[in-house]
Amino acid sequence: MASSFQKLKDLDLTRDEVERLGEALKKEEFRKLLVDYVEEVQNPANKELYEQEIIQLEKERGNDVTFINPKPGYVIKSSVDGSKKCFINVCANDNIKKPSSSPACKEGAKGLQWALPHSLTPPREDVDNKGARCVVYDVVFHPDTLHMALKNKSFGNMVNATACEAVESNFEVMLDKKNLKFPKLQYKGVPHSTIIRKPIEGFVAQQMDPEIDSQELHRRQKQLHHPQICDKAPQPR
């Protein structure tokens, strides 16, 4: 209940808007339309159609895009800059490159140097189970990385360190890495897709009205809840 109230409060509605919304919710027809809308945007077939349209439109603009839909893994709980609680969703997606290793020697000791490719989503606001505000990040690895992290404690510690360092370096925050906790969650919040966008080599743009082009992109994005867009490709660690 506290979470729902906080999300409603965050909409920053005027008193008139709240009253109008309350009156609308009393009407069965409006409630039915609202339920139909929620079912439509959550329909996997609609989501797939939306993604294909965005991929095609981006190709017309000279970009190859890949949707990264995170598969829940586990959650790291910490705090940001010592003031706000945060959650890091350690997720998986097949489009992220697999982990790799190479022989290494440090101070005379032989071992392996690992590269753990990953992708991130922009931070988003949420609330914890007490209704207090928090911030949520997604760090997405290849499924093999998560599998190894859950099977091997040392490898898991390396994955956790990589996830924390990625959040700190990309979003310029400081995490409390000395007091990491691991709640019994596979994912905090609602999964958000990201897009990895890469320019198409040798692409020659067609002459188009930029205003019409932008309007078309906006129209397609408004059809469903569009994902957060991240232009950065996964960076090896």
Side-chain angles (χ1 to χ4, degrees), residues 40-52:
E40 180 180 352
V41 299
Q42 292 181 342
N43 188 320
N46 289 337
K47 182 179 180 181
E48 182 178 356
L49 176 61
Y50 159 76
E51 291 184 358
Q52 292 303 317

Side-chain angles (χ1 to χ4, degrees), residues 111-131:
L112 294 175
Q113 181 174 351
W114 283 92
L116 304 177
H118 55 272
S119 180
L120 299 99
T121 64
R124 57 187 183 274
E125 292 288 327
D126 207 318
V127 292
D128 63 13
N129 55 7
K130 296 181 180 178

Side-chain angles (χ1 to χ4, degrees), residues 159-210:
V159 171
N160 297 338
T162 298
C164 291
E165 290 171 6
V167 169
E168 288 185 323
S169 61
N170 281 273
F171 304 117
E172 299 181 349
V173 296
M174 183 67 68
L175 301 177
D176 182 5
K177 296 190 290 294
K178 293 183 178 180
N179 295 291
L180 299 180
K181 297 181 180 180
F182 299 87
K184 294 181 179 180
L185 297 172
Q186 289 186 313
Y187 194 92
K188 171 63 177 176
V190 178
H192 283 62
S193 299
T194 60
I195 291 178
I196 295 178
R197 181 188 288 109
K198 296 180 180 179
I200 299 174
E201 293 185 10
F203 175 79
V204 178
Q206 298 179 355
Q207 293 296 324
M208 297 181 65
D209 186 331

Side-chain angles (χ1 to χ4, degrees), residues 101-114:
S101 63
S102 58
C105 184
K106 184 177 181 180
E107 298 179 354
K110 294 183 179 180
L112 294 175
Q113 181 174 351
W114 283 92

